[in-house]
């Protein structure tokens, strides 16, 4: 009998945190009524071990929360080889960029959702356009020579 779900091709995410530092217009986060919290580290380690044991690969380490808010993100990245991260870029300063580039991270998506400074605050409520642009420029410069795919979602 054919399995209902082929785990070798399933796109599985692990949400390390349900917290977010922005309230974006397209995100239902503020209406979900769920607590904003981080996954306990013991559970992250258990999920990673269970995935390894069963040949499951996490595709990304986020869902609706901002993964850069997770205090042990760099360690978590190394527990889930091949998993990517998507961020609103607000926290991706030079220091955090260097920390991420020192991990096994192979893909990061920088989500801006516009190329217009005037539109940005309407989409990314709480975000600061200039800071995001500066963080993107810095990260792109830092990532040169690293084996990482950087996607900019505009």
């Amino acid at each position: 009998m054919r399995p209902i779900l082929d785990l070798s091709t399933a796109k599985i995410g692990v949400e390390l945190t349900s917290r977010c530092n922005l309230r974006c217009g397209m995100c239902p986060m503020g209406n979900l009524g769920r607590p904003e919290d981080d996954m306990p580290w013991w559970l992250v380690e258990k999920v990673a071990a269970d995935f390894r044991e069963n040949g499951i690969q996490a595709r990304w380490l986020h869902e609706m929360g901002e993964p850069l808010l997770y205090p042990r993100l760099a360690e978590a990245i190394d527990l889930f080889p091949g998993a990517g991260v998507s961020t609103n870029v607000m926290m991706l300063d030079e220091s955090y960029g260097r920390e991420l580039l020192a991990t096994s991270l192979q893909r990061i998506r920088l989500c801006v959702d516009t190329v217009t400074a005037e539109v940005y605050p309407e989409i990314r409520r709480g975000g600061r356009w200039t800071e995001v642009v500066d963080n993107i420029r810095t990260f792109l410069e830092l990532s040169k020579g690293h084996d990482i795919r950087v996607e900019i979602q505009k």
Side-chain angles (χ1 to χ4, degrees), residues 32-86:
L32 293 178
R34 66 181 184 159
E36 292 192 16
D37 205 357
D38 295 336
M39 184 184 291
W41 185 248
W42 68 265
L43 185 55
V44 173
E45 290 179 312
K46 180 176 182 351
V47 169
D50 288 349
F51 277 26
R52 266 190 315 276
E53 185 178 307
N54 292 288
I56 300 170
Q57 181 181 7
R59 303 287 182 191
W60 57 85
L61 298 178
H62 61 89
E63 184 57 39
M64 288 188 225
E66 168 55 47
L68 273 61
L69 288 171
Y70 191 71
R72 296 178 79 171
L73 177 60
E75 292 172 84
I77 287 168
D78 289 334
L79 289 178
F80 295 92
V85 170
S86 180

Side-chain angles (χ1 to χ4, degrees), residues 16 56 59 65-66 90 93 101 105 109 142 150:
L16 299 172
I56 300 170
R59 303 287 182 191
E66 168 55 47
M90 285 296 302
D93 59 14
L101 290 168
L105 185 64
R109 180 177 296 144
L142 288 172
V150 180

Side-chain angles (χ1 to χ4, degrees), residues 74-119:
E75 292 172 84
I77 287 168
D78 289 334
L79 289 178
F80 295 92
V85 170
S86 180
T87 176
N88 62 37
V89 196
M90 285 296 302
M91 295 181 61
L92 189 60
D93 59 14
E94 182 176 351
S95 174
Y96 213 144
R98 289 184 189 283
E99 184 178 351
L100 292 180
L101 290 168
T103 71
S104 61
L105 185 64
Q106 296 174 349
R107 185 182 70 193
I108 186 168
R109 180 177 296 144
L110 311 177
C111 299
V112 185
D113 297 313
T114 184
V115 293
T116 311
E118 297 77 30
V119 174

